[in-house]
């Protein structure tokens, strides 16, 4: 399933077209600057882009162009992508193991 829109309010990169392809439990982000330009990978993916993608998907659910199950899967992918940037909590007792391995102060 493809979602596309134009981003017009970026002062650094100017106006460009965004294409987000949702297929097989993965979202692929690409962009292009003009009509005759090739598609390039889009980095970094901001929260504004995720918000726009979820809004576009929410418009398709009532018209039955996207199932509620697919919409829930897309929201889960977004949550996973946003959590990937945060460090994971340590396992229980991991800090004790590291403290034990440190050399003793003199």
């Amino acid at each position: 399933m493809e979602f596309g829109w134009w981003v017009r309010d970026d002062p650094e990169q100017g106006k460009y077209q965004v294409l987000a392809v949702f297929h097989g439990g993965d979202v692929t982000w690409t962009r292009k600057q003009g009509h005759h330009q090739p598609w390039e990978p889009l980095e970094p993916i901001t929260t504004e882009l995720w918000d726009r993608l979820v809004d576009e998907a929410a418009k398709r659910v009532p018209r039955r162009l996207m199932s509620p199950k697919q919409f829930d899967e897309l929201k889960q992918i977004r949550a996973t992508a946003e959590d990937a940037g945060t460090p994971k909590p340590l396992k229980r007792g991991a800090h004790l193991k590291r403290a034990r391995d440190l050399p003793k102060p003199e």
Side-chain angles (χ1 to χ4, degrees):
M1 189 167 296
E2 294 182 355
F3 300 89
W5 63 89
W6 284 88
V7 175
R8 294 181 177 89
D9 56 352
D10 192 352
E12 294 176 5
Q13 298 178 2
K15 183 173 95 170
Y16 59 91
Q17 187 177 3
V18 174
L19 179 68
V21 178
F22 173 57
H23 179 73
D26 191 27
V27 178
T28 306
W29 297 85
T30 54
R31 67 180 290 274
K32 74 174 182 175
Q33 199 76 24
H35 182 69
H36 295 290
Q37 301 298 320
W39 288 98
E40 304 167 346
L42 177 64
E43 291 293 331
I45 309 304
T46 62
T47 56
E48 291 84 19
L49 291 172
W50 275 111
D51 290 341
R52 180 72 186 260
L53 177 61
V54 171
D55 289 343
E56 293 291 326
K59 292 177 188 176
R60 294 183 184 194
V61 173
R63 297 184 294 162
R64 297 178 190 245
L65 298 174
M66 183 176 203
S67 70
K69 183 178 177 181
Q70 289 173 319
F71 185 63
D72 292 339
E73 185 179 354
L74 180 64
K75 290 191 291 187
Q76 181 64 35
I77 291 171
R78 177 187 181 173
T80 304
E82 289 178 345
D83 289 343
T86 60
K88 300 293 182 210
L90 295 175
K91 292 182 181 178
R92 195 165 73 170
H95 64 285
L96 298 175
K97 292 177 187 174
R98 277 195 256 132
R100 206 177 18 210
D101 294 338
L102 294 175
K104 301 273 188 218
E106 294 181 24

